[in-house]
Amino acid sequence: MAQVLQIFIDDSGSSPNDKYFVLGGLAASANQWLLFSEEWKSALSQPPGISYFKTSEANAMRGEFGHGWNRRLIDQKVDELAQIATRYAQYCVHSVIRWSDYVKFFGDFKKHYQGEQFKEWANPYFLCMYALAACLTRYSKKNHIDPIWKIVVDEHGSIGRIANDVFAAIREPAIHQALGGIPSFDDDRKVLPLQAADLYAWHLHDFCVRNGLKDRDPHIKRALFGIPEIGIFFQDETLLEIRAKLFEAAALMSSTE
């Protein structure tokens, strides 16, 4: 029986004013996530305790980190949580695109396909999820492993609709089989592995924007980036290939209506 690996995913850089859009997260077995959650929850409760973790709040010293915290304590807490994530995550996964490249290669999609079923296709989240699904399947085949990747994403905005649209667009049976169905959705304030996904996605985005480890927390990034990775940083050749596939899928869906 194939092992089921749960991938918890978050996004960072969702504004067109950002330089990069990042879809990133962590994968592990259900048992690993159970052990992770026990340790993560304990770390959150240590004084001055917080009820949930969000990296943007830690960085800006607001929200859960708005009272009773200083920069030193926050950095210690983030480092502690990053170490917990690295102990239990089996893979880090990501899909990263420059916003300028997204506009260049996919900015004209709406001109060609304006139907309701394509509403979310002209969206970098859609593109990155589509590519990540294919990337996970290729990784499994290349490394002769046979997991079922179960994706869980944060339940905010239009992500649910986008994820469903991705799976409608994917025509390769092997990808559907490897993913074991459409992603599920949950609340990142309650589901602790989603908070670890937020930690990874935020630091990967920060790394891309800063073009390296030249910041105040390189040790945190080194820890997170030391997890075995499955991912893609989009280059022109790949973008052209995916563009062709998406336009082909859209044309096929339009012709069968």
Side-chain angles (χ1 to χ4, degrees), residues 213-229:
L213 295 171
K214 298 176 181 178
D215 56 17
R216 68 168 181 269
D217 54 10
H219 56 292
I220 293 174
K221 291 179 172 61
R222 288 194 183 98
L224 293 171
F225 300 166
I227 303 169
E229 71 172 82

Side-chain angles (χ1 to χ4, degrees), residues 6-216:
Q6 295 176 308
I7 308 176
F8 292 86
I9 292 177
D10 202 0
D11 62 277
S12 186
S14 58
S15 169
N17 294 324
D18 286 303
K19 189 174 182 179
Y20 292 89
F21 178 84
V22 172
L23 201 61
L26 302 172
S29 67
N31 185 61
Q32 285 291 98
W33 282 127
L34 180 62
L35 296 172
F36 156 88
S37 295
E38 292 176 357
E39 191 168 345
W40 186 278
K41 184 177 181 180
S42 175
L44 295 185
S45 66
Q46 294 170 12
I50 53 178
S51 59
Y52 66 88
F53 174 79
K54 195 167 184 63
T55 317
S56 60
E57 293 185 1
N59 185 60
M61 298 182 66
R62 60 179 175 81
E64 290 293 291
F65 293 95
H67 301 284
W69 292 86
N70 57 42
R71 186 77 266 161
R72 180 183 61 82
L73 288 174
I74 291 174
D75 288 348
Q76 288 177 350
K77 180 60 65 178
V78 176
D79 182 52
E80 178 185 9
L81 294 174
Q83 296 302 324
I84 294 172
T86 62
R87 281 197 287 275
Y88 295 101
Q90 294 170 241
Y91 299 97
C92 59
V93 302
H94 55 254
S95 184
V96 181
I97 187 172
R98 294 180 181 85
W99 267 99
S100 58
D101 285 343
Y102 177 78
V103 172
K104 175 182 176 181
F105 287 95
F106 298 93
D108 63 340
F109 185 88
K110 288 184 179 180
K111 296 179 182 178
H112 297 277
Y113 298 101
Q114 300 179 358
E116 184 64 24
Q117 72 271 39
F118 306 119
K119 182 178 179 181
E120 306 294 353
W121 287 37
N123 185 306
Y125 191 106
F126 177 98
L127 173 65
C128 287
M129 182 66 81
Y130 184 103
L132 187 58
C135 193
L136 289 166
T137 307
R138 286 196 301 270
Y139 182 90
S140 298
K141 184 177 180 179
K142 179 180 178 182
N143 292 277
H144 306 290
I145 60 176
D146 188 32
I148 295 175
W149 306 96
K150 298 290 289 185
I151 296 175
V152 182
V153 298
D154 185 24
E155 55 179 9
H156 68 272
S158 61
I159 287 178
R161 294 194 306 274
I162 295 172
N164 288 333
D165 285 346
V166 168
F167 279 73
I170 293 173
R171 298 292 168 175
E172 297 89 339
I175 297 179
H176 281 281
Q177 182 179 355
L179 295 181
I182 64 174
S184 57
F185 313 94
D186 225 315
D187 186 348
D188 64 349
R189 295 194 178 194
K190 299 177 181 178
V191 178
L192 304 183
L194 281 172
Q195 297 176 25
D198 169 89
L199 177 67
Y200 177 71
W202 191 96
H203 278 89
L204 180 57
H205 180 263
D206 190 59
F207 177 85
C208 293
V209 170
R210 295 175 183 270
N211 193 30
L213 295 171
K214 298 176 181 178
D215 56 17
R216 68 168 181 269

